[in-house]
Amino acid sequence: MVKRGKENRCRECSTRLSSEWCCLSGASLDALDRAKMPKTYGPGDIIYNQGTDCEGIYCISSGLIGLRRLDKDGNSALVRLVNPGGTIGYRSLIKKAPHSNTAEVLAPSTVCFVKRGIVCSMLQSDPDIGLEFLSHSLNELSETEDRYMESVTLNVKARLLHALLVFYERFGSKNGDEERMIELPISRQDLAELIGTAPETMSRTIQRLQNEDLAYFDGRKVRISNRANVEDFLHTAH
Amino acid sequence: MVKRGKENRCRECSTRLSSEWCCLSGASLDALDRAKMPKTYGPGDIIYNQGTDCEGIYCISSGLIGLRRLDKDGNSALVRLVNPGGTIGYRSLIKKAPHSNTAEVLAPSTVCFVKRGIVCSMLQSDPDIGLEFLSHSLNELSETEDRYMESVTLNVKARLLHALLVFYERFGSKNGDEERMIELPISRQDLAELIGTAPETMSRTIQRLQNEDLAYFDGRKVRISNRANVEDFLHTAH
DNA sequence: CGTCTGGTTGATCTAGATCAACAGGAGTGG
DNA sequence: CCACTCCTGTTGATCTAGATCAACCAGACG
């Protein structure tokens, strides 16, 4: 299932510029290039499992990864989606603790693995990398706090609309003609896990949005009928 | 309300060792000592407000601080409690963004302020400090993800019990005789905001815990009748 | 063809929000 | 000293969002 990807160089990696490696200079960039191991994954593949030890970090070059967390009762939640340019596994590496969630491939992906020893020595030699990780971590912290606030203050309908707007930003088609049409990157079940509700409720809420002319769903395609309407709703409603 | 505290030296600060400044060497420790400005605050004082610009960071020397976040609808949530040894405000400083929440004093506190310019230059000169901030941020991230998981999977009773156990760890009396008696550091209202529920529900849930012999409340004093029971409950119940 | 997985719908039940009243301090001010 | 308001907390009654259980359908896949 997991196979070695074709050759690809960090220098030419278009997603590197939006990652923690954007600041790398020529020499350490080459070092990273030699150290990294690109692999390709398919949907459903597991990159690492919650509770296992951290072997290194994974830099997402293309595709989509989901971080899932299980609790002792078997409840599962989709904690975060990671786009190309994102790096996963660094938290466990730095804290020297087992992975706190499972990284699951949601769309065909190319991922570069960098062994923990390499990362540690780069952290030692180049202080800027630590600051990049810090900045990355602070962004995730803000995002997670926002999600927490949402989960205790907003109802399912509002959370779903919010998630749709986020998808619109992150996955909206770049071509101008079908601006407000997006392709959902995940299944309805996963969507339910992402906003913290039951699949049945997800289904019903989608129906409601359609009845209320806020959004239209066709399989994984979604059209937001009136973006301003949706934003108005989110800014006024409970 | 806010007044200059008496002289106190970082070298002798017992809480420094559990903060990001634990790694400081002699020279930069003296620099920090000269730069910091200790202040004392009383309950209800605001250290900084959500949405305002970051002037610097605040190192909690004694007392208790609450980080509160408001959303556009006026909902308020207590995002985090910060004990002595904790540092607040560093997130906005590093991200160069307005404070994402309000820091409110919950118990009489002594807090050392360090201007942003000083922190920035220390970050430049001593890479270890950046790593300390990183580690700190990763801990907060884990904690927030846990809170998020709890809020979507556990009911109010379980969340309250969990909070009590956390209080037990963080605020439990050090003397051996009254081991399982703790003093709640916050009001019931704030407790409700901390676990994300309404004050009325908080009140009723407390009654339930007493009826079920799990914990006894007397004002702000709480006695967990059987710690093992509570932990069993948390590990099996939904 | 059966089996499985993902999604939809219907019926039911309940945790918890909400609205409302009230009770005990703690000031404050005459 | 009483009368007043303000604030925190408790209790009661009601209502609803959403979980849960169950049946069902459609496509995928052996």
Side-chain angles (χ1 to χ4, degrees), chain B residues 62-216:
Chain B
S62 72
L64 184 69
I65 312 296
L67 299 185
R68 207 181 286 277
R69 175 178 291 211
L70 284 92
D71 68 7
K72 34 264 153 217
D73 306 323
N75 298 96
S76 163
L78 204 44
V79 175
R80 190 187 315 282
L81 298 181
V82 186
N83 276 9
T87 298
I88 59 178
Y90 71 102
R91 192 195 320 187
S92 320
L93 185 145
I94 288 166
K95 296 200 359 185
K96 302 182 200 315
H99 288 298
S100 53
N101 37 39
T102 295
E104 180 185 328
V105 177
L106 299 177
S109 301
T110 307
V111 176
C112 290
F113 172 71
V114 185
K115 274 223 289 279
R116 61 175 301 153
I118 311 282
V119 182
C120 289
S121 59
M122 292 183 84
L123 271 172
Q124 299 287 336
S125 61
D126 192 344
D128 284 350
I129 296 179
L131 293 181
E132 287 296 330
F133 276 120
L134 175 55
S135 164
H136 187 161
S137 152
L138 292 177
N139 287 335
E140 290 191 339
L141 181 55
S142 289
E143 194 195 321
T144 308
E145 273 185 10
D146 289 343
R147 300 269 307 284
Y148 175 75
M149 270 302 277
E150 278 192 22
S151 79
V152 297
T153 61
L154 301 185
N155 60 19
V156 170
K157 179 184 168 192
R159 276 182 276 158
L160 175 56
L161 282 174
H162 187 101
L164 290 181
L165 289 186
V166 171
F167 285 147
Y168 181 83
E169 296 300 329
R170 284 170 64 172
F171 305 100
S173 61
K174 298 343 183 222
N175 52 17
D177 55 340
E178 273 295 8
E179 258 201 39
R180 48 175 77 113
M181 182 72 99
I182 54 174
E183 171 105 14
L184 290 183
I186 56 178
S187 70
R188 313 249 152 160
Q189 282 189 165
D190 283 346
L191 193 53
E193 280 197 25
L194 188 64
I195 71 172
T197 188
E200 297 95 323
T201 305
M202 180 81 267
S203 208
R204 284 184 246 266
T205 308
I206 286 177
Q207 299 307 323
R208 261 182 76 199
L209 292 192
Q210 301 193 137
N211 293 339
E212 296 170 12
D213 270 331
L214 284 166
Y216 291 93

Side-chain angles (χ1 to χ4, degrees), chain A residues 63-108:
Chain A
L64 184 70
I65 312 296
L67 299 185
R68 206 181 289 274
R69 176 179 289 211
L70 284 92
D71 68 7
K72 36 262 154 223
D73 306 323
N75 299 95
S76 163
L78 204 45
V79 175
R80 191 188 315 283
L81 299 181
V82 186
N83 277 8
T87 298
I88 60 178
Y90 71 103
R91 189 192 326 184
S92 320
L93 185 146
I94 288 166
K95 296 200 0 185
K96 302 185 200 316
H99 288 297
S100 54
N101 36 40
T102 295
E104 180 185 328
V105 177
L106 300 177

Side-chain angles (χ1 to χ4, degrees), chain B residues 215-234:
Chain B
Y216 291 93
F217 291 72
D218 174 23
R220 285 200 177 183
K221 295 217 184 305
V222 191
R223 193 168 50 82
I224 292 177
S225 50
N226 186 335
R227 187 118 190 283
N229 268 0
V230 173
E231 279 171 352
D232 277 3
F233 172 82
L234 283 181

Side-chain angles (χ1 to χ4, degrees), chain B residues 15-25 29 32 85 128-129 132:
Chain B
T15 54
R16 201 199 83 232
L17 297 175
S18 57
S19 77
E20 25 273 283
W21 313 108
C22 60
C23 60
L24 281 191
S25 66
L29 187 53
L32 178 66
D128 284 350
I129 296 179
E132 287 296 330

